Amino acid sequence: MKRVPVNKIIPFSSVDGPGNRTAVFLQGCNFDCRYCHNPETRNVCRDCGECVKSCPSGALKLGESRVVFEPAACVSCDACIHICRYGCSPRIRNMTPEEVMEAVQKQVPFIRGITVSGGECTLYPEFLTDLFVLCKKEGLGTLIDSNGTLDFSEYPELTAVTDGVMLDIKAWDDEEHKKVTGVSGVVVRKNALELASAGKLLEVRTVVVPGLFDCEETVRETARQLRPYLAYGNIRYKLIRYRKIGVREQYAVVCRSPSEEMMERLADIVRSEGLDDVIVI
Ligand code: SF4
Ligand code: SF4
Ligand code: SF4
């Protein structure tokens, strides 16, 4: 099985889906969101070697043709991430599904399941399918945190072993979606409705950035479109307040944070469209 770049594995997380879970973050993303809080997860390392000398602890070394990362020596100072010009991180381990499962194994008695996130984890659908098959053998739940650009209808084996998807709705209108992410949202909206009709849409999330897109229209239209599918399973709407933390400087000046009143108004709109499970963070 081909290895995929793993950015990090958090053994115990209570914020990546219901219950206690192991969260696995894969490297690489096909979006370029103006407000991305983890821009270093978007691209895969080019092994240019420029960050090696910035490492204060010897955790990075130049191998024959690539940068070698020693996790045990890393002091998590983020110097390498700040110096990288390509929006990536050298702190990557290329792992097979079996190797990731080995890292999950120790937690099995204490967790409800795993959540795979990114970057954008659905760039690696075969890896996800194989990993989730291994999880199912251990009785673990399987969730995906996604920007929604993989057409799930074309991957029935993956959908079958996935318990639920937590899906970003960056903007409902397609021109606005392109403005926010650089990419069309046609497949995202298709996924939202199809996953909801299969009872596999656990949560939708919208990052609220006033002025960047029409937040009210996105929230209203998303809730309105999803409401008919509540009969197949609960759908939570998570409204995420934009904060400047971690964002790239060129976008920090064009994005602003919403007020408390705005967040409450959006939550009210979601409820008025029939989705009662709304949280604001
Ligand atoms: S989808 Fe997520 S990881 Fe990718 S650019 Fe957008 S915010 Fe960043
Ligand atoms: S993380 Fe960036 S700076 Fe470091 S080797 Fe990779 S591409 Fe070069
Ligand atoms: S985050 Fe880790 S690998 Fe990167 S520079 Fe700091 S110690 Fe080195």
Side-chain angles (χ1 to χ4, degrees):
M1 172 71 187
K2 199 168 164 277
R3 292 169 187 270
V4 305
V6 177
N7 181 289
K8 66 181 165 196
I9 298 176
I10 299 179
F12 298 106
S13 167
S14 57
V15 296
D16 291 291
N20 209 4
R21 319 187 68 85
T22 293
V24 180
F25 296 84
L26 304 187
Q27 180 79 14
C29 184
N30 53 346
F31 278 14
D32 184 16
C33 301
R34 300 296 177 263
Y35 51 70
C36 184
H37 291 89
N38 299 299
E40 74 282 1
T41 65
R42 290 174 305 120
N43 296 318
V44 176
C45 175
R46 303 172 182 201
D47 292 304
C48 74
E50 279 174 25
C51 57
V52 171
K53 54 186 176 300
S54 73
C55 179
S57 65
L60 299 175
K61 294 197 169 49
L62 269 178
E64 269 184 29
S65 60
R66 54 181 316 168
V67 171
V68 179
F69 172 54
E70 290 293 340
C74 178
V75 294
S76 302
C77 67
D78 286 351
C80 51
I81 288 169
H82 294 311
I83 211 164
C84 180
R85 291 182 284 154
Y86 304 109
C88 47
S89 164
R91 293 183 295 176
I92 298 301
R93 280 182 292 165
N94 289 303
M95 300 173 79
T96 63
E98 289 75 18
E99 286 165 344
V100 172
M101 194 60 212
E102 210 178 305
V104 173
Q105 204 81 44
K106 300 185 273 295
Q107 293 87 251
V108 167
F110 313 106
I111 56 174
R112 193 190 293 190
I114 78 163
T115 299
V116 188
S117 183
E120 177 48 41
C121 66
T122 66
L123 295 181
Y124 313 101
E126 289 82 13
F127 168 89
L128 284 176
T129 307
D130 290 356
L131 175 61
F132 285 179
V133 167
L134 295 173
C135 287
K136 289 291 171 195
K137 286 184 185 157
E138 296 291 336
L140 293 175
T142 51
L143 298 181
I144 288 175
D145 176 346
S146 174
N147 67 19
T149 40
L150 178 83
D151 187 341
F152 280 89
S153 68
E154 293 178 8
Y155 292 85
E157 288 178 7
L158 172 60
T159 311
V161 288
T162 302
D163 293 335
V165 177
M166 298 178 285
L167 192 75
D168 296 339
I169 303 284
K170 311 277 189 184
W172 191 265
D173 175 82
D174 208 46
E175 285 312 308
E176 289 199 317
H177 196 278
K178 287 178 194 159
K179 188 176 150 203
V180 174
T181 69
V183 177
S184 165
V186 170
V187 177
V188 181
R189 296 192 295 280
K190 176 178 180 287
N191 274 328
L193 303 183
E194 289 179 358
L195 289 167
S197 70
K200 294 206 173 194
L201 186 65
L202 199 71
E203 182 176 284
V204 286
R205 298 94 170 259
T206 297
V207 178
V208 176
V209 194
L212 185 61
F213 63 100
D214 187 336
C215 304
E216 285 200 14
E217 192 218 15
T218 286
V219 161
R220 178 176 289 109
E221 205 52 41
T222 303
R224 184 176 291 168
Q225 297 281 339
L226 292 178
R227 183 186 177 171
Y229 300 104
L230 287 176
Y232 303 109
N234 185 53
I235 302 166
R236 168 173 287 176
Y237 205 138
K238 187 183 277 181
L239 297 169
I240 304 170
R241 210 178 265 112
Y242 166 76
R243 296 178 177 89
K244 282 197 164 56
I245 305 157
V247 298
R248 287 163 288 174
E249 268 174 37
Q250 68 265 40
Y251 298 128
V253 290
V254 293
C255 295
R256 59 191 169 86
S257 302
S259 64
E260 291 298 320
E261 293 72 29
M262 180 174 187
M263 297 305 290
E264 278 317 308
R265 192 166 69 250
L266 294 176
D268 285 343
I269 289 172
V270 174
R271 288 186 206 100
S272 71
E273 292 295 338
L275 265 64
D276 293 330
D277 189 356
V278 192
I279 60 169
V280 173
I281 63 169

